Amino acid sequence: MRVLPVLDLLNGVVVRGIAGRRSEYQPLQSRLTSDVGPMDVARALRSQFGFDRFYVADLDAILHQRPNWQVYQQLIQDGFELLIDAGIRGVDEAVSVRNCGAEPIIGLESCSCPEVLAKIVAANPGAITFSLDLQRGRPMLPSDSTWLPEPVEIARQVVECGVTRIIVLDLADVGTSTGGGTQELCRKLLSDFPELELTCGGGVRGIDDLRTFKNLGAKSILVASALHDGRLTPAELASIVE
């Protein structure tokens, strides 16, 4: 299993997400660095843990359609690999993220329907990850959505579009240190779709939660707060990362 550190960007700086209440997000406070610039935070995480691959949730793009292109380029030029959720709504946006050197994440809350996802996949074969965005277990559907209403049904539609990599993320768990509430859903998805490469996240408290998701069969786990608060150490990560 691989740990993917999270960079939540808002107003161009790294913020700490709390339960998906985005209006309350504040600049990151970390034991690793006093700076909140994306490059400073990424370098601190690399220095402490050796991370070179990051999940970026660009809230400026997701909420306001203002992607932080310069930030992406700076991070990539410094040697980081990025998976980016930039509020992608169509083919052109996905291609732009891929062309900047990152892997596009297509978030449920931004993508209106399976037909749009299928077009994005066709234009970016093998390069797409889908994020099954939830809030308290319920799918975060855009206002013009034609997706089916249940998470497993949506996952089936996503797989039918040719996607093999899915993130399961319940925003209600983010930054709450609850251990997360998606374990049963993740277990169901891996049972129904054993070919999936599943990334889980939200609410990770420490090494025991990482072991739980690893035992479920998750390929990757998203982590933020536990890294910055000191609840996960380099030695602990080395014991679980493959």
Side-chain angles (χ1 to χ4, degrees), residues 40-172:
D40 297 307
V41 175
R43 284 176 171 172
L45 286 163
R46 179 168 60 189
S47 176
Q48 182 73 11
F49 297 100
F51 293 129
D52 58 8
R53 185 173 173 84
F54 284 76
Y55 166 95
V56 177
D58 187 351
L59 296 168
D60 292 315
I62 294 169
L63 299 176
H64 308 298
Q65 293 78 59
R66 296 196 299 266
N68 284 283
W69 295 111
Q70 186 175 4
V71 171
Y72 309 161
Q73 290 295 339
Q74 289 172 343
L75 290 168
I76 291 168
Q77 290 168 7
D78 206 57
F80 294 104
E81 298 178 16
L82 304 180
L83 291 79
I84 300 176
D85 185 343
I88 293 169
R89 291 165 174 78
V91 172
D92 291 346
E93 293 162 299
V95 170
S96 294
V97 171
R98 189 192 66 188
N99 286 345
C100 86
E103 180 176 326
I105 295 173
I106 313 304
L108 175 63
E109 67 171 311
S110 302
C111 183
S112 62
C113 61
E115 290 76 18
V116 169
L117 177 62
K119 291 177 181 178
I120 294 172
V121 172
N124 302 269
I128 293 298
T129 295
F130 185 85
S131 181
L132 182 55
D133 301 324
L134 308 171
Q135 180 63 260
R136 299 188 184 279
R138 303 303 303 167
M140 296 176 63
L141 300 172
S143 59
D144 55 349
S145 170
T146 62
W147 293 97
L148 293 173
E150 296 299 327
V152 175
E153 295 171 339
I154 293 170
R156 187 176 305 280
Q157 291 177 293
V158 170
V159 169
E160 289 172 351
C161 289
V163 174
T164 60
R165 296 191 295 276
I166 292 181
I167 296 169
V168 176
L169 181 61
D170 195 319
L171 293 185

Side-chain angles (χ1 to χ4, degrees), residues 132-222:
L132 182 55
D133 301 324
L134 308 171
Q135 180 63 260
R136 299 188 184 279
R138 303 303 303 167
M140 296 176 63
L141 300 172
S143 59
D144 55 349
S145 170
T146 62
W147 293 97
L148 293 173
E150 296 299 327
V152 175
E153 295 171 339
I154 293 170
R156 187 176 305 280
Q157 291 177 293
V158 170
V159 169
E160 289 172 351
C161 289
V163 174
T164 60
R165 296 191 295 276
I166 292 181
I167 296 169
V168 176
L169 181 61
D170 195 319
L171 293 185
D173 294 327
V174 169
T176 61
S177 300
T178 60
T182 63
Q183 290 91 338
E184 288 305 315
L185 174 59
C186 291
R187 184 178 288 109
K188 172 67 173 172
L189 293 180
L190 288 169
S191 174
D192 288 0
F193 314 106
E195 72 279 11
L196 278 183
E197 295 181 29
L198 201 64
T199 297
C200 306
V204 169
R205 295 164 294 193
I207 190 66
D208 289 341
D209 290 332
L210 296 187
R211 292 193 181 104
T212 295
F213 281 110
K214 181 177 182 178
N215 291 338
L216 285 175
K219 295 296 184 183
S220 301
I221 181 75
L222 302 178

